[in-house]
């Protein structure tokens, strides 16, 4: 899991040239406590805060979309979203 987030961060810094980018991150509808979960109707915690911080640094607008797992994978395969979790 940490390796996947590290890879995401590396990819983000590689593409820093794409400033003011809008990206969509597909995630499962399931909360992964304590890494990411909904609190008071808002998605929060480590993964979410880390990705938001990186995107803010890159001047990107980040949008998290919750899907059933199979549909999240379809969105990533189509190229309309980046994955939050990568299947091994």
């Amino acid at each position: 899991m940490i390796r996947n987030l590290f890879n995401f961060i590396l990819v983000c810094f590689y593409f820093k040239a794409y400033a003011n980018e809008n990206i969509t991150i597909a995630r499962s509808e399931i909360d992964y406590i304590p890494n990411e979960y909904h609190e008071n109707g808002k998605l929060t915690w480590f993964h979410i805060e880390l990705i938001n911080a990186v995107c803010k640094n890159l001047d990107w607008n980040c949008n998290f979309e919750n899907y059933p797992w199979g549909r999240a994978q379809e969105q990533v395969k189509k190229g309309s979203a980046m994955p939050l979790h990568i299947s091994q």
Side-chain angles (χ1 to χ4, degrees), residues 56-68:
K56 182 178 178 182
N57 186 357
L58 296 173
D59 198 21
W60 288 4
N61 296 314
C62 180
N63 182 38
F64 293 92
E65 294 290 334
N66 299 322
Y67 298 107

Side-chain angles (χ1 to χ4, degrees), residues 14-84:
Y14 178 77
F15 289 109
K16 187 169 173 106
Y18 299 101
N20 297 314
E21 191 73 22
N22 292 314
I23 63 168
T24 299
I25 297 181
R27 67 176 297 276
S28 172
E29 296 174 318
I30 300 170
D31 288 345
Y32 292 97
I33 298 170
N35 298 320
E36 62 196 59
Y37 59 92
H38 288 86
E39 183 175 75
N40 299 324
K42 182 181 176 197
L43 192 58
T44 188
W45 206 238
F46 179 71
H47 292 163
I48 307 307
E49 300 303 322
L50 178 63
I51 291 170
N52 281 331
V54 170
C55 288
K56 182 178 178 182
N57 186 357
L58 296 173
D59 198 21
W60 288 4
N61 296 314
C62 180
N63 182 38
F64 293 92
E65 294 290 334
N66 299 322
Y67 298 107
W69 183 242
R71 188 164 172 219
Q73 290 177 324
E74 288 176 21
Q75 297 297 319
V76 171
K77 286 179 185 176
K78 289 191 315 189
S80 60
M82 295 177 66
L84 180 57

Side-chain angles (χ1 to χ4, degrees), residues 1-9 46-47 50-51 84:
M1 186 72 60
I2 296 297
R3 185 180 75 209
N4 293 337
L5 284 172
F6 180 73
N7 289 338
F8 172 81
I9 293 168
F46 179 71
H47 292 163
L50 178 63
I51 291 170
L84 180 57

